[in-house]
Amino acid sequence: MKIYETRTAPNPRRVRMFLAEKGIDVDYVQVDIQKGENLSPEMRAKNPLGKIPILELDDGTCIAETDAICTYFEALQPEPPLMGKTPVEKGIISMWQRQVELAFMMQVGMCFQHTTGYFKDRMVPVPEYGEQAGINAAKYLSILERRLANNAYIAGDHFSIADITAVCAIDFARVVKIRIREDHTHLQRWYDAITHRASAKA
Amino acid sequence: MKIYETRTAPNPRRVRMFLAEKGIDVDYVQVDIQKGENLSPEMRAKNPLGKIPILELDDGTCIAETDAICTYFEALQPEPPLMGKTPVEKGIISMWQRQVELAFMMQVGMCFQHTTGYFKDRMVPVPEYGEQAGINAAKYLSILERRLANNAYIAGDHFSIADITAVCAIDFARVVKIRIREDHTHLQRWYDAITHRASAKA
C-alpha cells in the first residue's frame, strides 16, 4: 500500500502522526499540490475531488479523506485505540474530532485560501469570507482552552485522533498568524505535551 | 436518552433516518434555531458550538455532531451496518460520507446562509462566497451521477450512511434551487430508490 501526499500540507501530517502512534509504516508518494499535480486525470481517478492524502491499497482500492484513512487503519489495527473503544468513547472522540476540524482547522484553511489566493488558479477567493473564517478560528481556541482546563486531552482522559487534528491545525494556523494566546495557559500546557510525543515529528 | 433537534433542519433528519434504519426509538426535544434557542447557556453547556442535533444520555453525557451521534449508535447496535463491517468498507463509506457532506451538503448550507442572511443575527453573510458555494454544490451532483452509473449505492453495493447524508442534502438543496438535473439519470434512479425506503419519512 502507499499514500499520496504533500509533505508540507496539514492533512497528510495528521495521517502520518496517526500512523506513527500506531507504529505502522507506509510508503509515501509526493504530489505537488501548488503545481496542481493532484488535479490530473490519474489522480482524479483515485479521488474524484482531486485532493490528498489518498491511501492506495495493493489491489488498487483508493481511500481518500484523512478521517476515512484513519478509520481504515483504526479498524485494521485497533491498538492503541485513537478513536475510542466503547460506544460513548467513540461518540465523544468523533464529536471533538469533527468540531476541531470544522470549527477550527477548516476555518484556518478557508482564511488561508481566501485571503492569500494560494489556489486562485482553481477557485474564486473571497477575501471578506476569508477574514470571517479567521475570526471564527481564533474564537475556537477559547473553546479548547476551556475544555483543557478540566481535561488532560481534548476528548477527555486519553490521547486521541482529536489531539492529532488539533495540534496539526494549530501549527498550520501560523500561516494566517493565528496562535495560542498568552492567557491560554491550559491550551499551552496541552500543546507542549502533544508536541513532545515522538509522533509529532512524523 | 433524548435528542435535541429542530424537526425541519437537514442534520437532525440524517440522525432520524439513521435511527429508523436501525429500528431505534429515541425521544426528541424540539429547539427553535431560528429564534436562537440553541445558543442559550444551557444548550452551550451541552454543545460548546451551540448547534443541534445533540444526543443526551441518561447520565447527562452529551454527544453533538450528526456523524458522532451515528458513530455512537453504530457501535451500540452494529446491525444493520450503516458504516461498514470490514476495514475497507469502513474506510470507503467514511470517504463518501465526508465528501458528500463537505463538498455538497456544507456547500448548500453555506450558499443558503450566505445568500439569504438566514442567520445574520449571529454571523456575517458574504453573498459572493455563498454564490461560489452554490456553484461548488451543483458541480458535485455530476460526481455523484458518475459514481452511481456503476454503483447501486454511493459507497458501493450496499446502502450506507453516505446515502442518508446525500438524500437529506439533496432535499435540503431545494432551498437554494439546486436540483437533480434531467441528464442525471443514474442519480435520479438512486434518489427514487432511497426516498421509497420507510426511513426517508422519519
Side-chain angles (χ1 to χ4, degrees):
Chain A
M1 65 173 74
K2 56 191 167 186
I3 291 176
Y4 296 87
E5 65 151 18
T6 302
R7 195 80 194 167
T8 52
N11 279 316
R13 184 183 172 209
R14 292 167 64 194
V15 172
R16 290 196 307 273
M17 197 168 165
F18 187 93
L19 292 178
E21 291 281 344
K22 293 269 185 194
I24 298 173
D25 282 325
V26 177
D27 287 335
Y28 292 92
V29 179
Q30 296 305 308
V31 177
D32 190 329
I33 52 174
Q34 199 173 4
K35 285 188 186 160
E37 288 179 358
N38 52 311
L39 302 174
S40 68
E42 292 76 18
M43 293 303 291
R44 282 196 189 272
K46 299 182 196 300
N47 177 8
L49 289 185
K51 294 187 176 181
I52 49 91
I54 304 167
L55 169 68
E56 188 171 68
L57 304 180
D58 292 341
D59 70 357
T61 300
C62 287
I63 301 173
E65 300 295 327
T66 297
D67 208 56
I69 294 170
C70 293
T71 295
Y72 168 78
F73 283 112
E74 180 83 357
L76 194 69
Q77 185 195 300
E79 296 297 327
L82 297 174
M83 299 173 82
K85 292 179 87 164
T86 67
V88 171
E89 285 172 3
K90 286 176 194 282
I92 296 283
I93 291 170
S94 174
M95 167 185 163
W96 283 98
Q97 155 81 343
R98 276 183 74 78
Q99 294 197 339
V100 168
E101 192 173 25
L102 300 186
F104 183 68
M105 187 170 196
M106 188 173 292
Q107 302 301 313
V108 169
M110 290 298 98
C111 180
F112 175 66
Q113 292 181 14
H114 285 274
T115 62
T116 67
Y118 189 80
F119 288 133
K120 66 177 184 291
D121 59 333
R122 66 200 82 164
M123 60 173 277
V124 179
V126 182
E128 188 189 352
Y129 171 70
E131 285 160 25
Q132 290 301 319
I135 291 168
N136 293 341
K139 277 186 191 168
Y140 190 76
L141 290 182
S142 297
I143 289 180
L144 287 184
E145 170 66 11
R146 286 195 293 276
R147 174 72 179 169
L148 291 165
N150 300 307
N151 292 277
Y153 298 99
I154 289 175
D157 294 336
H158 303 289
F159 178 84
S160 78
I161 191 172
D163 298 296
I164 293 175
T165 300
V167 80
C168 293
I170 286 172
D171 285 344
F172 176 50
R174 288 183 207 142
V175 296
V176 289
K177 299 188 170 54
I178 293 173
R179 292 185 176 83
I180 296 173
R181 294 195 327 229
E182 278 198 16
D183 60 326
H184 288 158
T185 54
H186 301 288
L187 183 54
Q188 188 65 54
R189 177 262 307 155
W190 164 89
Y191 178 84
D192 292 341
I194 303 299
T195 49
H196 276 84
R197 297 174 81 92
S199 63
K201 293 172 191 66
Chain B
M1 65 173 73
K2 57 191 166 187
I3 290 175
Y4 296 87
E5 66 150 18
T6 302
R7 195 80 194 167
T8 52
N11 279 316
R13 184 182 172 210
R14 291 168 64 195
V15 172
R16 290 196 306 274
M17 198 167 164
F18 188 93
L19 293 178
E21 291 281 345
K22 293 268 184 195
I24 297 173
D25 282 326
V26 177
D27 287 335
Y28 292 92
V29 179
Q30 296 305 309
V31 177
D32 189 329
I33 51 173
Q34 199 173 5
K35 285 187 185 159
E37 288 179 359
N38 52 310
L39 303 174
S40 67
E42 293 75 18
M43 293 304 292
R44 282 196 189 273
K46 299 181 196 300
N47 177 8
L49 289 185
K51 294 189 176 179
I52 50 92
I54 303 167
L55 169 67
E56 188 171 68
L57 304 181
D58 292 342
D59 69 356
T61 300
C62 287
I63 301 173
E65 300 295 326
T66 297
D67 208 56
I69 294 170
C70 293
T71 295
Y72 168 79
F73 283 112
E74 180 84 358
L76 194 69
Q77 185 195 299
E79 296 296 327
L82 297 173
M83 298 173 82
K85 292 178 87 164
T86 68
V88 171
E89 285 172 4
K90 285 176 194 284
I92 295 283
I93 291 170
S94 174
M95 167 186 164
W96 283 99
Q97 155 81 344
R98 276 182 73 79
Q99 294 197 338
V100 168
E101 192 173 25
L102 300 186
F104 183 68
M105 187 171 195
M106 188 173 293
Q107 302 301 314
V108 169
M110 291 299 98
C111 180
F112 175 67
Q113 293 182 14
H114 285 273
T115 62
T116 67
Y118 189 81
F119 288 133
K120 66 178 184 292
D121 60 333
R122 67 200 79 165
M123 61 173 276
V124 179
V126 182
E128 188 188 352
Y129 171 69
E131 285 159 25
Q132 290 300 320
I135 292 168
N136 292 340
K139 277 186 191 168
Y140 190 76
L141 290 182
S142 297
I143 290 181
L144 286 184
E145 170 65 12
R146 286 194 293 276
R147 175 71 179 168
L148 291 165
N150 300 307
N151 293 277
Y153 298 99
I154 289 176
D157 294 337
H158 303 289
F159 179 84
S160 78
I161 191 172
D163 298 296
I164 293 175
T165 299
V167 79
C168 292
I170 286 172
D171 285 344
F172 176 50
R174 288 183 207 142
V175 296
V176 289
K177 299 188 170 54
I178 293 173
R179 291 185 176 84
I180 296 173
R181 294 196 326 230
E182 278 199 16
D183 61 327
H184 288 158
T185 54
H186 301 288
L187 183 54
Q188 188 65 53
R189 178 263 307 155
W190 164 90
Y191 178 84
D192 292 342
I194 303 299
T195 50
H196 275 84
R197 297 174 80 92
S199 64
K201 292 171 193 66

